[in-house]
Every structure is written in structure tokens, then in C-alpha cells.
């Protein structure tokens, strides 16, 4: 007799022994206080109070279906075909009576088995040169933790073959990088090669020279970072041949003039020519696309290249071209988006292209100023539009930011920014801050300035926190655009855990700074969603964003946020100023004197806040269908009372809130478009502002 699984379980054996000995394995006892005095079983005699028998409902007889009773063979040893032996709907069902089942688990293959399989893959690849097939076969083998051995075996086999095979090995590794073989495994494979140079030299006399060239080629192909050489040199034993390989790779190849071209052509052969031709074709098709704008033709050319494993190069060259020719950026990004949507360029190849570009962004910055900032903007845009994975988008952005924060220029800027901020907290002179930032003339570092501003303010009194918010409002649009402000908050939120170690209440303070930026019309509520998407799950930064939302959702949130750092301060001054602006505009709209209205604006004595006059004047003109207020704005601009930057800032804020305003004023967008056209025609609004205004019925 056996259980349905073909063997007796330990529990079954115990029950079998107990049954054969005529006793229960687990005796049951029921306390007398659980037995009713006049209770009876099956209509039989009454049970006495001191009866010791169990009244649990289990009598020792077999259950329905022939099993389960204590001291019986029951269904535990029944034939597996008895479907009714256990019924989960039966009141007496006990899950422990279910038969055990064997669950199959994959058995990890040994390294020896893995070696045999990859050697066959490598030999087959050297025969047919099919990169896609080699990648698929390696994927099928599995055991990604052994991939470093594949790298080592591929190169060691190629070292003893013709130059053509050496070139093929380099091409294959480049194609597998990050798609099939993760960077850590790749680096480990090269390190294993360096450790075994002495053994390789016994069979391959020129192993040191050949491996040095493989190492240099990996650096040129962007699959190993240059830092790998110095890091490996530290772990190799002194006097080893591995150190000789590293020195030769650096001095003979990587430090030579035009080293990239020399290294790529070193092995020559048909494979190398093919790679060079493909790169040239990619460059040509991208340039042709920029000229013609024909996306379908460009996609056809990419498809005809027939190198899906090399599409990361299309991505890399396309983004580089977009950074070189900013006028073509939108066109190029739309091509990449279409390639991703059609599946022409896979998500892994897209990620690989962005990753490779981020690795070389420092070198790229020598030819393209602000390359890091441009790459970050493109990466964020691609992630937001959904054609680049959010994880790689965040990784590339963080890599670019981290690289930028480590430079000497940034360290010097931080020092200067700290002095400017500390002086501002003492003098309260906003115009001096603006002048100092203009003198530094590094607008790409403004997010770092804002991060420093709020970090210092968080550890100071409420008065300085209020001043920090006021300064942000003054700098917004006129000095620092909204994109850089959002980036500053991203930097703050991503480093919130570290900040909290020094400032215990940093999370609450930063949530209030975020909420205040929304109340001050610097950030729109949708910007909080964008910040949320930029942050990793289960981080303090994401929690801070949620807390800021909760603060803004409370009743009278605006008043509470403005008063959060104490009454009578700048926050209330701003609120009072808003009330004064509304009153002076209403008085002028009702027939007031133009000169008096201008004097009232002048008496506000808050020139950095004049954008609010512009915004509220435009909103009131739409609401009351009275263009008289536009005359006040024109006069203020002509007199220089409202600066050009403040005028642009006011129109810009109005543009940001058109969607919300349209709920109350259906034709708000049409009216705003006409106001923009009038202001530009009369010369009191920059002509370039029209390019940023959304089109409404064909009008800009």
C-alpha cells in the first residue's frame, strides 16, 4: 500500500505504527466543564458529569468516504483514485490530512556543464559569425552568474586564432554587453583573464600583447570604464603579468594619438570593415533624416542595416546629434520614439544606448558645452513619454548629476553660493543675490544653488526659512527657469535621507518648502506628480512629496502654509501684497486714474513680485471682459515700472494656469492668445514669448 505520491510520509508511518499497536497517536481530552449536563449523543443515554470520554465530535470511526478516523487506516493509505476521500467543503475537513506532493525545483547546472555548452557556442560563432544566434544560445544556457567565464573563454580562445576571430570576439562582447551579460560579470571576466595571464603565456607566447589590445578595445567600445584599469591594478599581486598587460594597454594604446581609430583598425578583416561601415551608415541616415524629416524612410534604413544587436549605436549617435544640433532635437527624439513604439529598437538596446552615452558624457562635454544637462533633459523627457524605462531614466539622470557634483568647478560654485546665501540671510537683499548669480555666469549650476539655499535654511530659524521661499519666488523665471527649480527639488528629495542625519526635522521642513512653492504659484500641482515619478519607491523623498500633497489638501491650506514659519513675516507680507494688487486693479478697472494705479504699484515696493500684477491683471481682464487693464500693463512697461522679465514671468504663469482657468472662463485660451498677440504688436512683451505659448485655433 502506498500514498498517492508513491511513498509513505513520516506522518503516515507514525499513524501506521500507532494503529498496529491499537492506540491513538495523539489522545484527545475534553474538559468536563465543556460538557452539558443533560447532553446525549445520537439520542442515547444521558452523559454523566464526570464522563471522561471525548465529546469533540470525533468518535474514532471512519469519516464519510472511509477515512480520517483515529486509530484506523482510513484514507491516508487509500488509493489515489478515490476523489471523494477529502472534501474541503466537509465540516470535518482537516488540511493536515492532505497528501504530500513533490514540487519540482530546477537544479543549478555545474560550472563544468556550463563550460561544455559555452565552448560549443563559441566554436559555432567563429564558424558562422551570427551574433544574434550566439546571444540567443547563451541566453538559453542560463546561469548568468557564470557569464564571466564565457567572457574569459571567448577571449582566451580568440587569442590563439586569426585576427578576424579576435575582431569577431570583440564585436560579440560589445553586442552582448548589458543585453545578455551584465557589466559586473563582464568586468569579472576581464579580471579573471588578467589573473591568468601567466598560464595563458605558456600556450600563447604573445598573450600579454594580445590581451592588452583586447583590454584597450573594451575601453574604446565603452564596455569597460577607464577606471577599471586602475582598480584592477590595485587587486593584482605585485610583479604579476596582469599588471604588465594593464600598463601596456594604457601606454601603448589608450594614451597614443588617435588611439580609438588605431585600436579599432588593429585587427582589420571583413568584420572590422562591416562595423565601420555600419557606423558610417548610421551617421549618414541620421544626417539625411535631419535634412528630410522622413521618419518612415529613416526607420526603413535602420531596419535594412540588419544589425539589431547594434541598435544601441543608433540611439547613441542620434542623441549626440540632437545635442549638437538643438534645432533638430525634437525631430530626432520623435524618430527614436517611433522606433521604440514599433519595436524596431528594443527596450534593452534603447537603455544600452543611453547608458553608453552617460558613460562618456564628460568627454562629450569638451565638444558640447552643458552636455550633461542636455542629456539629463533628454533622458527625463524620454522617460516621461514612455519610450525609455523609468529605472534606466533615473539611473542615467543620477549618473549625470553625480558626475557633475564631483567636479572642481561645482565645488568652487558651492563655496561661492554658500557665501551669497549667508550674506542674503543677513542683509535680506534680493537684488544683490541676483547680481551675484549673474556675475558667477554658470546658470547650469543654479539647481545646486537652490539646493544649498534650502539645505542651509532648514537648519536655521523660521525667519530664514521664510526668506528662502521669498528668494525662490523672486528668482523664478527671471533668473532660474522652472525646469531647473524642479531639478533642484529632485536633488533635495533624492538626498533627503542624508540630510535627515544632520537635520532631524528635514522631512517636514522640505515638505513645507514644496507646499509653499505651490502656494506661491512657482510649482503647479502636476509638478508634484512629476517629482513623484522621478523618485524611487519606498524612499523618504517620495514620502515627503506625499506629505506636501496632504498639506495642500487641508482646508485653508494657502493661509496655513504662508503662516507656517510664524506670523507677521514675509509670508504675510506676500499675502497682503496680493490683496493690495487685487484692490488696485479693481479700482482702476472701475474707472480709476492710470497715474494713480501706477503709483500704487510703485508703492508696493516689491519689484520682484510685479509678475503677480501682470498675472492678476490678465485674469481680471478675461473674467470681466474688459481690456482696459491691458492699458495699465502697457503703461507700466513703457515707464519701466514693470521690467521685461517680470512681464514675461507674469504671462508665463498665466499660460501655466490656462487649463484651470478654462473651467471658469471657457474661452480663456483664445483670450490669452489675443492678449499675447496685442502685447507683442504694441512692443511691451518679448516677441520670442509667442513661441512658448500654446497654439489656439492656429493662432500663436
Amino acid at each position: 500500500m502506498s500514498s498517492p505520491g508513491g511513498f509513505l510520509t513520516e506522518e503516515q508511518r507514525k499513524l501506521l505504527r500507532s494503529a498496529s499497536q491499537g492506540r491513538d497517536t495523539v489522545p484527545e481530552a475534553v474538559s468536563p466543564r465543556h460538557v452539558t449536563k443533560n447532553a446525549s449523543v445520537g439520542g442515547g443515554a444521558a452523559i454523566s458529569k464526570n464522563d471522561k470520554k471525548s465529546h469533540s465530535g470525533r468518535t474514532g470511526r471512519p469519516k464519510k468516504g472511509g477515512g480520517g478516523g483515529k486509530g484506523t487506516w482510513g484514507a491516508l493509505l487509500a488509493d489515489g483514485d478515490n476523489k471523494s476521500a477529502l472534501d474541503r467543503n466537509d465540516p470535518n475537513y482537516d488540511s493536515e490530512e492532505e497528501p504530500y506532493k513533490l514540487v519540482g525545483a530546477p537544479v543549478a547546472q555545474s560550472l563544468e556543464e556550463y563550460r561544455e555548452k559555452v565552448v560549443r557556442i563559441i566554436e559555432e560563432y567563429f564558424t558562422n559569425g551570427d551574433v544574434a544566434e550566439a546571444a540567443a544560445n547563451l541566453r538559453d544556457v542560463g546561469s548568468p552568474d557564470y557569464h564571466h567565464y564565457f567572457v574569459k573563454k571567448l577571449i582566451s580562445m580568440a587569442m590563439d586564432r586569426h585576427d578576424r576571430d579576435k575582431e569577431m570576439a570583440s564585436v560579440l562582447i560589445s553586442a552582448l554587453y548589458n543585453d545578455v551579460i551584465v557589466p559586473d560579470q563582464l568586468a569579472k571576466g576581464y579580471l579573471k583573464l588578467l589573473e591568468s595571464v601567466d598560464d595563458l603565456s605558456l600556450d600563447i607566447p604573445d598573450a600579454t600583447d594580445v590581451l592588452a589590445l583586447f583590454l584597450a578595445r573594451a575601453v574604446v567600445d565603452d564596455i569597460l570604464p577607464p577606471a577599471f584599469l586602475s582598480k584592477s591594478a590595485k587587486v593584482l599581486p605585485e610583479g604579476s603579468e596582469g599588471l604588465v598587460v594593464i600598463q601596456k594597454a594604457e601606454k601603448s594604446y589608450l594614451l597614443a594619438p588617435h588611439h580609438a581609430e588605431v585600436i579599432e583598425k588593429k585587427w582589420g578583416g571583413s568584420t572590422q570593415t562591416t562595423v565601420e561601415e555600419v557606423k558610417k551608415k548610421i551617421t549618414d541616415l541620421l544626417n539625411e533624416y535631419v535634412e528630410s524629416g522622413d521618419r518612415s524612410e529613416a526607420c526603413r534604413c535602420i531596419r535594412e542595416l540588419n544589425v539589431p544587436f547594434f541598435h544601441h549605436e543608433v540611439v547613441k549617435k542620434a542623441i549626440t546629434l540632437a545635442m549638437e544640433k538643438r534645432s533638430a532635437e525634437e525631430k530626432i527624439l520623435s524618430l527614436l520614439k517611433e522606433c521604440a513604439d514599433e519595436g524596431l529598437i528594443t527596450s534593452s538596446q534603447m537603455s544600452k544606448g543611453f547608458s553608453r552615452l552617460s558613460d562618456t558624457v564628460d568627454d562629450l562635454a569638451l565638444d558640447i558645452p552643458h552636455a550633461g544637462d542636455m542629456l539629463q533633459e533628454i533622458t527625463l523627457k524620454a522617460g516621461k513619454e514612455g519610450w525609455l524605462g523609468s529605472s534606466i531614466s533615473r539611473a542615467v539622470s543620477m549618473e549625470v548629476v553625480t558626475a557633475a557634483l564631483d567636479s572642481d568647478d561645482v565645488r568652487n560654485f558651492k563655496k561661492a553660493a554658500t557665501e551669497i546665501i549667508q550674506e542674503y540671510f543677513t542683509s535680506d537683499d534680493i537684488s544683490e543675490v541676483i547680481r551675484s548669480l549673474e556675475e558667477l555666469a554658470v546658470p547650469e549650476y543654479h539647481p545646486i544653488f537652490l539646493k544649498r539655499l534650502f539645505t542651509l535654511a532648514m537648519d536655521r530659524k523660521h525667519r530664514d526659512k521664510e526668506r528662502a521661499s521669498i528668494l525662490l519666488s523672486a528668482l523664478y523665471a527671471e533668473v532660474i527657469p522652472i525646469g531647473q527649480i524642479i531639478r533642484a527639488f529632485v536633488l533635495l528629495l533624492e538626498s533627503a535621507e542624508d540630510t535627515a542625519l544632520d537635520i532631524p526635522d528635514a522631512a517636514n521642513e522640505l515638505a513645507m518648502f514644496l507646499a509653499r512653492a505651490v502656494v506661491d504659484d512657482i510649482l503647479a500641482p502636476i509638478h508634484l506628480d512629476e517629482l513623484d515619478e522621478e523618485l524611487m519607491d519606498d524612499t523618504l523623498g517620495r514620502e515627503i512629496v506625499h506629505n506636501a500633497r496632504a498639506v495642500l489638501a487641508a482646508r485653508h491650506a494657502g493661509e496655513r502654509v504662508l503662516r507656517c514659519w510664524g506670523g507677521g513675516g514675509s509670508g504675510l507680507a506676500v499675502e497682503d501684497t496680493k490683496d493690495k494688487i487685487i484692490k488696485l486693479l479693481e479700482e482702476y478697472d472701475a474707472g480709476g486714474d492710470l497715474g494713480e494705479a501706477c503709483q500704487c504699484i510703485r508703492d508696493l515696493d516689491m519689484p520682484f513680485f510685479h509678475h503677480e500684477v501682470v498675472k492678476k491683471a490678465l485674469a481680471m481682464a478675461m473674467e470681466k471682459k474688459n481690456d482696459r487693464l491691458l492699458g495699465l500693463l502697457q503703461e507700466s512697461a513703457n515707464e519701466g515700472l514693470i521690467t521685461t522679465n517680470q512681464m514675461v514671468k507674469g504671462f508665463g504663469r498665466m499660460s501655466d494656469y490656462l487649463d484651470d482657468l478654462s473651467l471658469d472662463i471657457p474661452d480663456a485660451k483664445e483670450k490669452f492668445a489675443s492678449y499675447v498677440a496685442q502685447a507683442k504688436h504694441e512692443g511691451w512683451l518679448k516677441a520670442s514669448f509667442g513661441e512658448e505659448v500654446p497654439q489656439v485655433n492656429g493662432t500663436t
Side-chain angles (χ1 to χ4, degrees):
M1 292 180 291
S2 64
S3 68
F7 62 89
L8 290 177
T9 66
E10 188 62 31
E11 184 179 358
Q12 290 172 341
R13 291 192 182 97
K14 289 180 180 179
L15 288 173
L16 181 57
R17 287 196 296 269
S18 300
S20 64
Q21 295 169 5
R23 62 182 177 83
D24 290 340
T25 303
V26 185
E28 292 186 8
V30 179
S31 173
R33 68 174 179 271
H34 291 157
V35 182
T36 307
K37 184 174 181 179
N38 297 322
S40 63
V41 180
I47 300 172
S48 69
K49 180 177 181 180
N50 297 321
D51 191 348
K52 298 295 184 181
K53 291 182 180 178
S54 171
H55 304 289
S56 64
R58 299 183 183 180
T59 64
R61 297 190 300 274
K63 294 180 183 178
K64 180 180 179 181
K70 297 194 303 177
T72 69
W73 297 84
L76 288 171
L77 303 179
D79 184 8
D81 293 334
N82 187 357
K83 305 295 184 183
S84 62
L86 289 176
D87 182 2
R88 288 182 171 83
N89 296 320
D90 194 315
N92 293 320
Y93 168 73
D94 187 351
S95 62
E96 293 182 358
E97 296 174 6
E98 291 277 10
Y100 287 90
K101 293 182 180 179
L102 283 177
V103 179
V107 178
Q109 63 184 331
S110 66
L111 179 57
E112 192 59 38
E113 292 173 321
Y114 180 85
R115 284 175 178 172
E116 293 176 2
K117 293 176 182 177
V118 298
V119 167
R120 287 197 297 270
I121 292 173
I122 294 169
E123 289 175 343
E124 187 177 342
Y125 169 67
F126 283 143
T127 302
N128 60 28
D130 192 333
V131 173
E133 183 180 342
N137 290 338
L138 184 59
R139 233 184 241 109
D140 292 340
V141 169
S143 301
D145 290 339
Y146 291 157
H147 281 350
H148 64 273
Y149 176 79
F150 174 85
V151 175
K152 179 185 175 184
K153 192 63 179 175
L154 173 65
I155 294 177
S156 60
M157 288 176 66
M159 288 170 66
D160 199 25
R161 298 171 73 102
H162 296 297
D163 284 352
R164 174 181 176 277
D165 297 321
K166 295 183 180 74
E167 178 64 28
M168 288 176 68
S170 291
V171 170
L172 179 59
I173 291 177
S174 181
L176 297 177
Y177 171 72
N178 212 36
D179 271 353
V180 182
I181 302 177
V182 297
D184 288 345
Q185 284 290 311
L186 186 82
K188 187 176 179 181
Y190 276 93
L191 184 58
K192 292 289 184 184
L193 283 164
L194 291 170
E195 291 171 347
S196 60
V197 181
D198 296 308
D199 295 333
L200 290 171
S201 299
L202 298 177
D203 301 317
I204 308 170
D206 60 345
T208 301
D209 294 336
V210 177
L211 185 55
L213 186 52
F214 267 112
L215 199 58
R217 177 63 181 270
V219 174
V220 169
D221 285 346
D222 297 331
I223 59 177
L224 280 182
F228 172 82
L229 303 180
S230 57
K231 290 180 180 178
S232 299
K234 294 177 182 177
V235 300
L236 292 172
E238 190 173 350
S240 69
E241 280 297 305
L243 291 174
V244 177
V245 172
I246 291 174
Q247 292 170 359
K248 191 171 186 65
E250 288 180 325
K251 294 180 180 179
S252 299
Y253 297 115
L254 295 174
L255 296 180
H258 310 292
H259 66 275
E261 293 83 352
V262 172
I263 291 169
E264 287 182 345
K265 295 176 180 177
K266 195 71 177 177
W267 286 316
S270 59
T271 302
Q272 172 63 27
T273 304
T274 302
V275 172
E276 286 185 349
E277 286 178 352
V278 169
K279 287 184 176 181
K280 185 178 185 302
K281 286 179 180 179
I282 291 171
T283 302
D284 291 343
L285 77 85
L286 289 173
N287 287 328
E288 185 177 339
Y289 167 68
V290 169
E291 293 295 326
S292 67
D294 190 342
R295 279 203 301 269
S296 60
E297 176 64 17
C299 289
R300 186 188 64 79
C301 291
I302 294 173
R303 196 175 289 108
E304 285 185 353
L305 291 174
N306 197 27
V307 284
F309 63 88
F310 208 58
H311 282 170
H312 59 269
E313 189 70 19
V314 177
V315 178
K316 180 181 175 183
K317 287 187 177 294
I319 299 171
T320 303
L321 184 60
M323 291 192 288
E324 290 174 346
K325 298 181 178 180
R326 296 308 300 270
S327 59
E329 178 182 324
E330 185 176 347
K331 190 182 294 185
I332 292 172
L333 296 186
S334 67
L335 172 63
L336 291 178
K337 183 177 186 301
E338 182 161 332
C339 289
D341 292 343
E342 289 185 4
L344 177 57
I345 297 180
T346 64
S347 58
S348 59
Q349 286 289 313
M350 190 69 73
S351 300
K352 189 173 178 180
F354 273 88
S355 296
R356 289 200 170 189
L357 196 58
S358 69
D359 291 339
T360 60
V361 70
D362 290 336
D363 296 332
L364 201 61
L366 299 176
D367 300 318
I368 307 174
H370 315 313
D373 288 340
M374 286 188 277
L375 176 58
Q376 191 175 15
E377 289 176 7
I378 292 171
T379 303
L380 294 175
K381 184 175 182 180
K384 193 180 299 182
E385 293 179 354
W387 50 277
L388 181 66
S390 58
S391 58
I392 188 66
S393 173
R394 285 192 291 264
V396 171
S397 297
M398 281 302 298
E399 192 171 340
V400 172
V401 170
T402 303
L405 294 179
D406 289 338
S407 67
D408 291 335
D409 290 342
V410 172
R411 280 190 283 273
N412 294 333
F413 178 82
K414 283 182 179 178
K415 184 178 179 181
T418 301
E419 294 175 357
I420 294 170
I421 293 165
Q422 289 174 340
E423 184 178 344
Y424 167 68
F425 284 147
T426 303
S427 66
D428 202 16
D429 191 342
I430 292 175
S431 59
E432 179 64 22
V433 174
I434 295 174
R435 185 188 63 78
S436 298
L437 287 176
E438 289 174 348
E439 286 181 354
L440 289 175
V442 278
E444 64 272 21
Y445 293 161
H446 285 169
I448 300 172
F449 174 84
L450 293 179
K451 180 187 176 186
R452 191 68 180 152
L453 170 67
F454 289 119
T455 302
L456 290 173
M458 279 189 273
D459 202 24
R460 298 173 71 97
K461 296 179 180 179
H462 286 349
R463 173 175 170 271
D464 294 324
K465 296 183 180 71
E466 181 64 35
R467 284 178 167 174
S469 289
I470 290 295
L471 179 58
L472 176 64
S473 183
L475 296 176
Y476 167 59
E478 188 168 353
V479 180
I480 303 178
I482 185 62
Q484 291 193 327
I485 293 174
I486 292 173
R487 194 180 309 169
F489 276 111
V490 169
L491 292 175
L492 282 163
L493 293 165
E494 287 175 340
S495 61
E497 282 88 352
D498 295 333
T499 307
L501 297 176
D502 300 319
I503 307 171
D505 200 34
N508 291 329
E509 298 288 3
L510 188 49
M512 293 308 299
F513 276 123
L514 263 178
R516 177 62 181 270
V518 175
V519 170
D520 285 345
D521 294 334
I522 298 170
L523 296 180
I526 194 173
H527 289 142
L528 297 183
D529 296 333
E530 294 178 7
L531 289 173
D532 205 8
E533 293 173 0
E534 291 296 321
L535 302 169
M536 302 291 287
D537 293 335
D538 301 323
T539 58
L540 181 58
R542 180 164 278 193
E543 183 181 335
I544 289 170
V545 175
H546 294 170
N547 290 343
R549 280 204 193 96
V551 169
L552 293 168
R555 291 187 62 190
H556 308 297
E559 296 176 7
R560 291 182 179 182
V561 171
L562 287 172
R563 290 180 170 85
C564 67
W565 289 308
S570 300
L572 286 178
V574 170
E575 189 179 16
D576 291 341
T577 300
K578 287 183 178 181
D579 291 338
K580 290 178 181 178
I581 289 171
I582 292 173
K583 289 179 181 177
L584 77 86
L585 291 175
E586 287 177 342
E587 288 180 8
Y588 176 72
D589 183 62
D593 181 67
L594 181 61
E596 178 66 22
C598 290
Q599 185 59 45
C600 289
I601 294 173
R602 199 174 286 108
D603 289 344
L604 293 174
D605 196 26
M606 296 182 76
F608 64 87
F609 207 59
H610 283 169
H611 60 268
E612 189 70 17
V613 177
V614 178
K615 178 187 170 185
K616 290 193 179 299
L618 293 172
M620 192 176 293
M622 292 182 197
E623 183 181 351
K624 298 191 175 184
K625 300 180 180 180
N626 186 353
D627 294 349
R628 188 168 189 262
L629 288 165
L630 299 183
L632 173 60
L633 294 181
Q634 182 182 8
E635 180 65 20
S636 299
N638 293 339
E639 287 186 11
L641 177 58
I642 297 179
T643 64
T644 302
N645 287 331
Q646 286 289 311
M647 189 67 73
V648 169
K649 189 173 177 180
F651 270 86
R653 291 200 175 187
M654 192 72 248
S655 176
D656 292 340
Y657 286 90
L658 279 178
D659 289 335
D660 294 335
L661 195 63
S662 296
L663 299 176
D664 300 318
I665 307 174
D667 59 344
K669 291 184 179 181
E670 287 78 3
K671 287 186 175 180
F672 181 70
S674 67
Y675 293 165
V676 169
Q678 180 179 339
K680 286 168 58 183
H681 178 71
E682 294 173 353
W684 47 278
L685 180 65
K686 277 185 177 179
S688 60
F689 180 84
E691 300 172 3
E692 304 169 5
V693 178
Q695 292 188 357
V696 181
N697 295 334
T699 307
T700 59

